[in-house]
Amino acid sequence: MKGLIPLTVVVLGGVANAETLFPMPSVPDVTDGDGWAFALGAEVEYETEYDGSDEYGTEVEPGFIIQKRNGDNLWFLEGQELGWRGRLNDLWLLQGGIRFEGGREESESPALAGLGDVDDEVVGMAEVRRAIGQDWTNWGAARLMAGGSDIGWLAVLAAGHTIAAGDPGMGIDLYAFVTLASDDFINRDFGITEEQSINSGLPQTSLDGGYRSVGIAAAGRWRLRDNWQFQAEAGYEKYNSDIADSPIALNDYEAEIGISILYRF
């Protein structure tokens, strides 16, 4: 997703079952006990053309999940992320790996004329979730994505509430989040260098790191049949005032909705 920052993978979930590794709608699990599991599907998103854009569009993409589970440990390839996820006990979830972070093409909008393309990046990511209380009705989470000097780092802090359905892993996750980022990360999306200023006619802009945004999101997942699952998500993110003043940010907020359907083989 271009705008909102995901916790785990909220666009594609899995077909959960009685032995799901982690019973939350926003944590994918298509396994049925130990071993390999595969799932394919499609997702439709209505979102901004680029971070800060005031233009929205619909995008249809294939979706896939590959997982290998061994007890409370799971290796995964889920959309843009490759890594490991583990349950330490009934109250903690840890995961880590690498993530593909998409760039931006000048051709995406006339508003980007003269700014050039922003390269794709591969970053490291780590996430921890902890139940608040003795079950996962309420929970807290922290996520860090970090790369080289071209992208810097982004941290996400979140607090959520799960409305569980009858099947483990099904239901709705509601959460609020705040993001913090390095100046490299913020300027990658919203800064304008001297060269870009000359080419585009926009004023040179350099933003400091620190507080980046605040937002709310929801992700719901439901079983349709034994091997089919449907998921819907929606979110809203509001940028800080410095980002809102950037010539690239034509809006000081972003919103998006998405649905997906998945079949487990």
Side-chain angles (χ1 to χ4, degrees):
M1 62 183 76
K2 292 183 176 68
L4 302 181
I5 303 299
L7 284 169
T8 314
V9 178
V10 297
V11 176
L12 279 177
V15 182
N17 51 75
E19 297 186 35
T20 188
L21 177 63
F22 203 73
M24 298 184 73
S26 56
V27 179
D29 186 356
V30 299
T31 63
D32 187 10
D34 289 350
W36 289 93
F38 308 88
L40 293 174
E43 58 186 270
V44 181
E45 290 182 304
Y46 181 72
E47 60 184 357
T48 57
E49 295 296 333
Y50 62 90
D51 287 352
S53 174
D54 62 353
E55 299 177 348
Y56 284 75
T58 301
E59 186 174 6
V60 180
E61 295 181 341
F64 64 91
I65 293 177
I66 302 174
Q67 296 177 332
K68 186 178 189 302
R69 180 175 171 182
N70 182 15
D72 290 336
N73 298 280
L74 184 146
W75 294 93
F76 62 84
L77 174 61
E78 299 163 356
Q80 296 177 318
E81 295 188 345
L82 171 68
W84 164 89
R85 181 179 303 132
R87 185 177 65 195
L88 298 187
N89 53 41
D90 291 338
L91 302 179
W92 287 93
L93 168 74
L94 296 178
Q95 77 165 10
I98 57 175
R99 173 181 172 83
F100 173 80
E101 194 69 18
R104 184 185 69 203
E105 295 183 0
E106 181 179 330
S107 59
E108 291 178 8
S109 170
L112 301 175
L115 295 178
D117 296 341
V118 176
D119 293 337
D120 300 334
E121 300 282 349
V122 176
V123 300
M125 63 87 182
E127 183 177 333
V128 57
R129 293 196 190 194
R130 210 290 188 181
I132 300 174
Q134 297 305 308
D135 59 32
W136 285 92
T137 302
N138 300 297
W139 47 272
R143 182 178 177 90
L144 177 67
M145 298 187 296
S149 60
D150 288 339
I151 190 170
W153 58 266
L154 173 81
V156 186
L157 303 175
H161 176 78
T162 298
I163 303 172
D167 290 335
M170 301 297 168
I172 301 174
D173 274 344
L174 306 171
Y175 62 92
F177 63 89
V178 60
T179 70
L180 310 170
S182 67
D183 55 355
D184 293 324
F185 191 95
I186 293 176
N187 283 299
R188 178 176 183 263
D189 292 327
F190 302 105
I192 299 174
T193 65
E194 181 179 3
E195 180 182 358
Q196 290 174 322
S197 176
I198 294 171
N199 293 334
S200 67
L202 298 174
Q204 186 173 345
T205 303
S206 180
L207 303 173
D208 294 330
Y211 165 66
R212 178 182 176 274
S213 66
V214 64
I216 54 174
R221 182 152 50 106
W222 299 273
R223 185 198 306 271
L224 300 181
R225 294 184 178 179
D226 288 344
N227 287 46
W228 288 96
Q229 169 265 322
F230 173 81
Q231 181 151 330
E233 62 146 2
Y236 172 87
E237 182 177 20
K238 184 173 178 61
Y239 294 120
N240 72 27
S241 58
D242 289 339
I243 291 176
D245 290 339
S246 167
I248 296 177
L250 303 181
N251 273 335
D252 64 353
Y253 70 91
E254 293 189 19
E256 71 170 30
I257 58 174
I259 59 173
S260 66
I261 191 166
L262 198 67
Y263 181 82
R264 176 184 180 275
F265 293 92

